[in-house]
Amino acid sequence: KRINVMKTTVKSISITRPFQLAGMAKPHPAGTFDLRIDEEPIDVMWEAYHRRMTLILKSNGLIEAWPISEEDLEKVLAVS
C-alpha cells in the first residue's frame, strides 16, 4: 500500500509592481513574498498531485495568506 504524503514547498518570489488579486480591496505594494505550494497526492494508479498555492503577504505588521492559482500567479509575474 502506498503512503500518501503531502509535499509543501516555500519559495521566495519578487513582484516588482503593485498587484491586485481577486477579493483584494486595493492593489498590494510590490515586494518579495513567500509562495507556499502544497501538493496533495491524488488516489489514482499513477503518481499525481492536486496543487494549491498560497501567497503570503506581509505589510504594516500584518501577515495575510491569499490563495492564488497558477494562472493568476503567472499574470502577476508577467507584469513585474
Side-chain angles (χ1 to χ4, degrees):
K1 181 177 179 177
R2 233 179 333 147
I3 298 175
N4 292 334
V5 178
M6 181 182 287
K7 297 189 296 186
T8 299
T9 305
V10 177
K11 64 182 190 176
S12 183
I13 62 168
S14 293
I15 301 173
T16 59
R17 295 189 178 169
F19 61 96
Q20 191 165 2
L21 300 175
M24 287 184 166
K26 59 183 181 177
H28 194 281
T32 300
F33 307 98
D34 288 338
L35 178 66
R36 177 185 169 132
I37 304 166
D38 294 320
E39 294 178 298
E40 185 176 6
I42 299 172
D43 192 16
V44 293
M45 297 296 292
W46 57 91
E47 187 172 340
Y49 293 87
H50 171 72
R51 180 182 283 188
R52 285 184 299 233
M53 296 192 309
T54 306
L55 190 59
I56 310 299
L57 305 177
K58 299 175 186 176
S59 64
N60 300 324
L62 296 174
I63 298 174
E64 298 179 275
W66 284 86
I68 188 167
S69 68
E70 290 187 54
E71 294 80 14
D72 287 343
L73 179 62
E74 288 175 13
K75 288 177 189 174
V76 167
L77 294 175
V79 295
S80 291

